[in-house]
């Protein structure tokens, strides 16, 4: 295991160097707390709608891929998510979500409904006098499932969070770098004992390149590394779960003029591509 971790570390360092070799131009890093939804989702340009279609690909190359689902995201002109739709393989709506905002562009609540108008889920947000997020409530149907309470720093970054599920509460601690990017998150069990922590590394452009998950005791259990090309276009993601020994590789191609990918291929442990996701992006 030690040798495997050393190999993983070497790969991550090499990828980090590759990610730092982009074309030389002025770098602007946006703190996490200041990002709109487009920026948080890694979208470039004035995106209005993203339509993602997922296909299953058979090992037998003579069989045509099968469409599984369609997911649609609609963004406002200033980059905030205003609605989403999940469609089945026949393009029938399975569920839709409408996001509502306060006058200062802070999320007020969203509602997820079935095609016949039944409320499936609801999410509410509360803010303090500084308009920093202090509470979220998650409902399934009419039942309150979870309440999340936050403490924030002077910039509005949440540095502590409590998730109350009624019968137990989980506690998280978040840490940020000088650019306001999340670099570590500690997760504590209901008894207050650290059971997992996550470390995140970014390149010089503020893009996430390495994410590692550890059990308490510094035991690496998961990692994800990400590679971009010299133009900042997403190329590859590799995820490995060391507990169940699974490895997934995501390849991104057919980028549009804004640098957003249009095709994702997903494979497992060196096997042929099993899933394809194609994106159609509409701009303002």
């Amino acid at each position: 295991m030690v040798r495997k971790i050393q190999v993983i570390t070497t790969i991550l360092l090499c990828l980090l160097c590759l990610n730092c070799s982009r074309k030389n131009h002025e770098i602007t890093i946006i703190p996490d707390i200041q990002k709109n939804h487009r920026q948080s989702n890694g979208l470039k340009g004035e995106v209005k709608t993203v339509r993602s279609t997922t296909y299953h690909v058979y090992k037998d190359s003579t069989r045509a891929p099968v469409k599984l689902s369609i997911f649609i995201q609609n963004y406002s002109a200033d980059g905030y998510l205003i609605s989403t739709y999940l469609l089945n393989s026949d393009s029938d709506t399975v569920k839709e979500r409408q996001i509502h905002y306060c006058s200062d562009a802070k999320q007020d609540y969203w509602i997820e409904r079935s095609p016949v108008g039944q409320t499936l889920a609801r999410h509410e947000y509360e803010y303090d006098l500084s308009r920093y997020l202090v509470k979220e409530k998650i409902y399934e149907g009419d039942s309150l499932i979870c309440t999340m309470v936050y403490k924030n720093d002077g910039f509005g970054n949440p540095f502590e969070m409590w998730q109350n599920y009624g019968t137990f509460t989980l506690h998280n601690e978040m840490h940020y770098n000088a650019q306001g990017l999340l670099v570590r998150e500690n997760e504590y069990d209901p008894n207050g004992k650290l059971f997992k922590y996550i470390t995140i590394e970014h390149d010089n452009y503020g893009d996430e390149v390495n994410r590692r998950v550890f059990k308490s005791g510094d035991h690496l259990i998961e990692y994800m590394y990400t590679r971009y090309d010299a133009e900042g276009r997403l190329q590859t993601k590799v995820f490995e779960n060391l507990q169940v020994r699974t490895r997934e590789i995501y390849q991104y191609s057919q980028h549009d003029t804004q640098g957003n990918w249009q095709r994702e291929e997903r494979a497992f442990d060196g096997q042929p591509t099993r899933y394809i996701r194609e994106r159609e992006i509409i701009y303002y």
Side-chain angles (χ1 to χ4, degrees), residues 109-174:
Y109 65 95
W110 58 252
I111 298 178
E112 194 167 80
R113 294 187 173 95
S114 70
V116 296
Q118 177 187 6
T119 298
L120 303 174
R122 180 182 176 93
H123 198 125
E124 300 176 352
Y125 302 82
E126 296 182 18
Y127 303 88
D128 62 15
L129 294 177
S130 299
R131 301 302 290 160
Y132 295 158
L133 180 65
V134 293
K135 185 180 291 187
E136 297 181 58
K137 293 182 178 179
I138 302 173
Y139 296 85
E140 288 185 3
D142 296 327
S143 301
L144 177 63
I145 300 301
C146 177
T147 299
M148 295 180 286
V149 177
Y150 299 92
K151 277 188 178 180
N152 303 286
D153 62 19
F155 299 100
N157 296 302
F159 64 87
E160 285 192 275
M161 175 180 67
W162 290 265
Q163 302 174 72
N164 186 341
Y165 291 91
T167 57
F168 65 93
T169 299
L170 302 177
H171 178 213
N172 290 36
E173 292 178 345
M174 288 75 79

Side-chain angles (χ1 to χ4, degrees), residues 65-221:
V66 175
K67 182 166 66 174
L68 298 178
S69 63
I70 300 170
F71 186 60
I72 301 171
Q73 299 166 295
N74 295 312
Y75 294 86
S76 65
D78 52 356
Y80 290 94
L81 197 62
I82 53 177
S83 63
T84 67
Y85 297 86
L86 178 63
L87 283 60
N88 61 21
S89 58
D90 294 323
S91 298
D92 298 322
T93 300
V94 175
K95 57 185 176 182
E96 65 175 87
R97 179 181 298 183
Q98 298 292 331
I99 300 97
H100 301 263
Y101 291 85
C102 306
S103 58
D104 58 356
K106 299 285 188 180
Q107 287 191 80
D108 189 7
Y109 65 95
W110 58 252
I111 298 178
E112 194 167 80
R113 294 187 173 95
S114 70
V116 296
Q118 177 187 6
T119 298
L120 303 174
R122 180 182 176 93
H123 198 125
E124 300 176 352
Y125 302 82
E126 296 182 18
Y127 303 88
D128 62 15
L129 294 177
S130 299
R131 301 302 290 160
Y132 295 158
L133 180 65
V134 293
K135 185 180 291 187
E136 297 181 58
K137 293 182 178 179
I138 302 173
Y139 296 85
E140 288 185 3
D142 296 327
S143 301
L144 177 63
I145 300 301
C146 177
T147 299
M148 295 180 286
V149 177
Y150 299 92
K151 277 188 178 180
N152 303 286
D153 62 19
F155 299 100
N157 296 302
F159 64 87
E160 285 192 275
M161 175 180 67
W162 290 265
Q163 302 174 72
N164 186 341
Y165 291 91
T167 57
F168 65 93
T169 299
L170 302 177
H171 178 213
N172 290 36
E173 292 178 345
M174 288 75 79
H175 303 269
Y176 302 84
N177 63 13
Q179 287 77 38
L181 304 176
L182 182 66
V183 294
R184 176 168 173 140
E185 183 167 359
N186 298 333
E187 300 184 14
Y188 298 87
D189 66 20
N191 297 316
K193 181 181 179 181
L194 178 68
F195 74 93
K196 185 171 70 174
Y197 67 92
I198 303 168
T199 64
I200 303 168
E201 297 177 9
H202 305 82
D203 62 16
N204 290 338
Y205 293 80
D207 292 319
E208 181 181 317
V209 290
N210 298 322
R211 176 182 290 254
R212 301 179 181 90
V213 181
F214 298 84
K215 279 186 177 180
S216 58
D218 300 328
H219 178 60
L220 180 65
I221 58 174

Side-chain angles (χ1 to χ4, degrees), residues 243-273:
Q243 292 183 299
V244 296
R245 300 186 182 279
T246 59
R247 189 168 185 262
E248 302 175 29
I249 300 175
Y250 300 77
Q251 301 282 354
Y252 300 89
S253 60
Q254 300 180 16
H255 297 80
D256 64 17
T257 56
Q258 295 292 323
N260 292 310
W261 61 267
Q262 296 176 305
R263 182 181 175 90
E264 173 193 78
E265 297 184 9
R266 179 184 176 194
F268 298 86
D269 288 321
Q271 298 297 316
T273 298

